[in-house]
Amino acid sequence: MGKPQFATVTVILPSGRLSVEMMEVAQEVAVKYGLGIYFSLSQNLRLTGVKDEDLEAVKVPFAALGATFKTPGVLHKPRICTGEKYCCLGKYDTEALSDHILALYAEIPTKPKLKIALAGCKNMCSNPLTTDIGVVGTNKGFDIYAGGRGGSRPAIGRRVGKDVDEKTVLEMVGKIIEYHNGVDAKKLRLCQWTDNTAFPYAEV
């Protein structure tokens, strides 16, 4: 498979939020450089059809707004549902929990293929069961799942935490990230390693 004809620039949108200012910049840049605009399943903004010679110029106006871009070795920001702020079924503020996770772990170098999804209730709109680390709001706290995967060989994560508090969620996410980073493989999905005796949590 050869190199794609055009490049893609992925602008990270914390909690999937796109500000009015960012919308205006996206429109201006897309018109100026003849780009497509695509919102990824990870809730980020992608600019498609970028010529190699325009890559850095395309990023400049977004960087001026404080935006960051998808880069290797950086923890994927969690995919979230709208949570209790905007949904009557939500049990917690998914946006706030996402911010707490990123504040603790975004600066830690992280191996590729580790993703997190946060769901405000057991309807699981953000698909936490098919994500490496999934957090689900319950009436008594949070359930935590590990080892989920989508794609051509989907896997359902196993529950490793039941009705825990937010402090425990943050600790468990940190330990799973640490474990994933310590596995001797460049690229892996967590589901390949949850049966390992060194995995820090048993199924509950």
Side-chain angles (χ1 to χ4, degrees), residues 67-98:
T68 58
F69 306 92
K70 183 179 178 181
T71 54
V74 175
L75 179 68
H76 286 270
K77 70 170 186 57
R79 181 177 64 247
I80 70 171
C81 69
T82 57
E84 66 177 1
K85 277 187 177 181
Y86 308 104
C87 177
C88 62
L89 299 177
K91 305 299 182 185
Y92 72 99
D93 187 339
T94 51
E95 185 174 351
L97 182 57
S98 175

Side-chain angles (χ1 to χ4, degrees), residues 159-178:
R159 190 175 64 187
V160 295
K162 186 177 188 299
D163 295 329
V164 302
D165 59 19
E166 182 175 322
K167 180 181 178 182
T168 304
V169 170
L170 296 173
E171 291 174 350
M172 292 181 71
V173 168
K175 285 188 178 180
I176 294 172
I177 292 173
E178 181 181 4

Side-chain angles (χ1 to χ4, degrees), residues 5-132:
Q5 186 176 359
F6 297 103
T8 298
V9 171
T10 300
V11 182
I12 303 301
L13 300 178
S15 301
R17 306 300 184 197
L18 180 65
S19 68
V20 173
E21 293 79 9
M22 195 78 73
M23 290 174 64
E24 292 173 347
V25 166
Q27 180 184 17
E28 292 172 1
V29 170
V31 170
K32 180 176 180 179
Y33 294 98
L35 309 180
I37 297 177
Y38 168 69
F39 289 95
S40 72
L41 295 180
S42 298
Q43 300 174 332
N44 290 317
L45 173 68
R46 287 184 182 172
L47 301 165
T48 59
V50 183
K51 296 178 181 178
D52 287 345
E53 61 266 28
D54 295 331
L55 268 174
E56 295 308 314
V58 164
K59 294 179 181 179
V60 168
F62 292 100
L65 294 177
T68 58
F69 306 92
K70 183 179 178 181
T71 54
V74 175
L75 179 68
H76 286 270
K77 70 170 186 57
R79 181 177 64 247
I80 70 171
C81 69
T82 57
E84 66 177 1
K85 277 187 177 181
Y86 308 104
C87 177
C88 62
L89 299 177
K91 305 299 182 185
Y92 72 99
D93 187 339
T94 51
E95 185 174 351
L97 182 57
S98 175
D99 290 343
H100 293 163
I101 291 171
L102 292 174
L104 287 172
Y105 306 118
E107 299 301 320
I108 298 175
T110 305
K111 285 184 178 180
K113 303 296 183 182
L114 183 71
K115 298 179 181 179
I116 302 172
L118 311 178
C121 74
K122 290 195 173 182
N123 281 341
M124 304 186 192
C125 295
S126 57
N127 298 322
L129 296 191
T130 53
T131 307
D132 299 283

Side-chain angles (χ1 to χ4, degrees), residues 130-204:
T130 53
T131 307
D132 299 283
I133 303 173
V135 180
V136 180
T138 72
N139 290 328
K140 297 180 180 180
F142 301 89
D143 286 352
I144 302 177
Y145 295 82
R149 179 178 65 187
S152 60
R153 293 183 295 164
I156 300 296
R158 64 179 65 181
R159 190 175 64 187
V160 295
K162 186 177 188 299
D163 295 329
V164 302
D165 59 19
E166 182 175 322
K167 180 181 178 182
T168 304
V169 170
L170 296 173
E171 291 174 350
M172 292 181 71
V173 168
K175 285 188 178 180
I176 294 172
I177 292 173
E178 181 181 4
Y179 170 79
H180 184 266
N181 281 342
V183 173
D184 189 19
K186 291 184 177 180
K187 290 186 178 182
L188 69 154
R189 296 308 300 263
L190 191 62
C191 63
Q192 299 171 258
W193 297 92
T194 50
D195 287 331
N196 191 306
T197 56
F199 188 74
Y201 301 107
E203 187 171 8
V204 297

